[in-house]
Amino acid sequence: MAEPGEQLPEEVLALIFRHLPLPDRAAAARVCRAWAAAATCSAVWHDTSISCDCELEGMLPPYLSACLDHVQNLWLEFEPSRKSSRRAATDLLTALTGRTPGLRGLCLECRGEKPLFDAGRDVLDAVHALCGAASALRHLDLRRLPFSLDDALVLQVAHGCPELRSLFLDNRTLVGSVGPGSVLELLEACPCLRALGLHLASLSRTALEALAAPERAPFELLALRCACPEDARAPPLPDEAWAALSLRHPGLQVELELEPVLPAESVTRVLQPAVPVATLRLSLSGDTVGPVRFAARHYAATLRALEVRAAASAELDAALEELAARCAGLREVHCFCVVRPSVLHAFRARCPRLRSYTLKVTREPHPWRPTLVA
């Protein structure tokens, strides 16, 4: 009798198994020799997503260990408040450190709330060690880690991952500990970097000038988060430095996220006419109307997405209508307060490239889902 799976080539089985969650891959590997060979081949593990909440706890470490050499891009999710989930994540990162010199991409995501006063030292130490060993790493995304990132980690990435193409450090933390000096050293050590996410306080005029250097590879995305006291105290970045950067990289897109910690005077320092803002997220405790009007008048050529969290008002409605009239290239607009019907009409009529929007004209239960434009 033919073994199960012998009727299908290994390539077809691998194509199927790569879409299975980890427990199902492990179960498939135990069916027969043909399935075991397909379930452990490199094509199945090239891009791997693992949830430490349900997939690693108490399950066949030998099977996973045998496949680590094949992992090139890893998305790893864990819950920091659960010891078993957290331990599974750090154990996996530690195992990767000694097994996968070919790792190309790593994205870490925390679910749920972290324990109070938790600095995440165990997780960050594991990431630090991995970055020292994964010399081929090209993409590192730490935006969804709730821990304060520091200069030591950035410098380890700079000197351990010279092939880096994208690095995102703009996470949700109340303390910004990455200084401009380490960012500058990162830019010098990673000449191929083309996407970077930072807290505003980590960026400097010298870094903008380094990015605008003639020998620099094309730079595509700069994501800036303004969410902690250090960001509010950050010195302004000269408009001429932004202009030089935009001239050097005409395709550059800047994402700006402004949160309640920013006072009004800090908002005016951040929003400068020469910044090529493509995505603007406003969640301010103070004036939101002024920043929306500023965006309408200065970012009309570049703005592609707008998100606003504010209290409803006639002034905000008028500002949104002005933005709709000026920003014809807008693709997304999401306003998490009730707006008058004329605002919805303005965006539908004036923004022909609009793909999705959240514009509610009556109060509805949350969560509000975006409307897709056919």
Side-chain angles (χ1 to χ4, degrees):
M1 180 182 295
E3 285 191 334
E6 285 187 349
Q7 303 302 316
L8 289 176
E10 182 175 306
E11 296 79 7
V12 176
L13 288 171
L15 185 63
I16 297 170
F17 294 159
R18 69 183 298 179
H19 297 290
L20 296 179
L22 205 58
D24 294 340
R25 289 187 196 179
R30 295 194 295 267
V31 171
C32 64
R33 288 190 297 272
W35 281 32
T40 54
C41 74
S42 60
V44 173
W45 294 89
H46 186 282
D47 299 307
T48 298
S49 298
I50 297 177
S51 172
C52 294
D53 291 335
C54 58
E55 293 183 340
L56 282 187
E57 292 183 16
M59 83 152 270
L60 30 123
Y63 166 71
L64 179 60
S65 178
C67 301
L68 288 182
D69 291 338
H70 302 314
V71 176
Q72 292 195 22
N73 298 297
L74 175 64
W75 176 82
L76 181 62
E77 178 190 65
F78 67 98
E79 190 170 341
S81 60
R82 292 181 58 195
K83 289 184 179 180
S84 57
S85 176
R86 186 169 179 149
R87 177 63 181 271
T90 55
D91 286 351
L92 180 57
L93 291 172
T94 300
L96 280 166
T97 300
R99 294 290 302 277
T100 56
L103 188 68
R104 298 290 192 276
L106 176 63
C107 177
L108 298 181
E109 180 166 347
C110 286
R111 291 178 63 252
E113 296 294 326
K114 73 178 181 69
L116 195 62
F117 306 120
D118 179 12
R121 202 64 262 166
D122 54 340
V123 177
L124 296 178
D125 285 346
V127 175
H128 189 280
L130 178 60
C131 292
S135 58
L137 193 69
R138 296 191 174 192
H139 306 285
L140 180 59
D141 189 344
L142 304 179
R143 282 175 289 190
R144 295 172 183 86
L145 282 186
F147 312 118
S148 294
L149 310 176
D150 57 20
D151 290 327
L153 177 60
V154 175
L155 295 177
Q156 177 75 311
V157 172
H159 298 294
C161 311
E163 298 298 320
L164 205 64
R165 301 295 193 275
S166 67
L167 174 63
F168 293 99
L169 305 171
D170 47 326
N171 63 339
R172 294 185 180 276
T173 180
L174 298 178
V175 179
S177 300
V178 176
S182 61
V183 171
L184 183 60
E185 192 165 336
L186 171 80
L187 296 176
E188 294 170 347
C190 302
C192 297
L193 194 70
R194 58 176 181 247
L196 181 61
L198 297 170
H199 279 262
L200 179 64
S202 303
L203 193 63
S204 64
R205 175 175 185 161
T206 310
L208 293 181
E209 292 171 348
L211 287 171
E215 67 280 4
R216 189 83 200 178
F219 194 69
E220 300 170 359
L221 174 64
L222 181 59
L224 294 176
R225 189 184 192 90
C226 309
C228 59
E230 291 81 5
D231 297 327
R233 296 191 294 266
L237 298 169
D239 210 43
E240 58 269 21
W242 284 111
L245 183 62
S246 298
L247 183 63
R248 173 64 182 82
H249 303 287
L252 174 64
Q253 294 187 349
V254 173
E255 295 181 0
L256 277 180
E257 185 165 359
L258 310 184
E259 298 203 359
V261 69
L262 284 189
E265 60 271 16
S266 296
V267 174
T268 58
R269 292 202 307 267
V270 175
L271 296 178
Q272 299 181 51
V275 183
V277 175
T279 300
L280 181 61
R281 300 184 184 95
L282 298 172
S283 181
L284 300 170
S285 57
D287 174 44
T288 301
V289 174
V292 171
R293 291 195 183 279
F294 187 95
R297 295 166 188 177
H298 296 284
Y299 303 147
T302 59
L303 193 64
R304 298 294 177 264
L306 174 69
E307 180 179 306
V308 176
R309 297 178 184 272
S313 70
E315 292 79 10
L316 179 59
D317 288 341
L320 289 170
E321 290 175 11
E322 179 184 351
L323 186 135
R326 292 174 179 264
C327 301
L330 204 67
R331 291 174 171 79
E332 295 183 37
V333 58
H334 305 286
C335 186
F336 293 94
C337 66
V338 175
V339 299
R340 62 194 182 197
S342 57
V343 173
L344 174 58
H345 174 74
F347 281 104
R348 292 297 302 264
R350 300 292 189 91
C351 303
R353 298 182 182 178
L354 198 65
R355 297 182 306 196
S356 70
Y357 61 84
T358 306
L359 297 166
K360 304 295 184 181
V361 297
T362 58
R363 190 174 300 279
E364 298 179 11
H366 286 278
W368 289 359
R369 303 296 184 190
T371 299
L372 302 181
V373 179

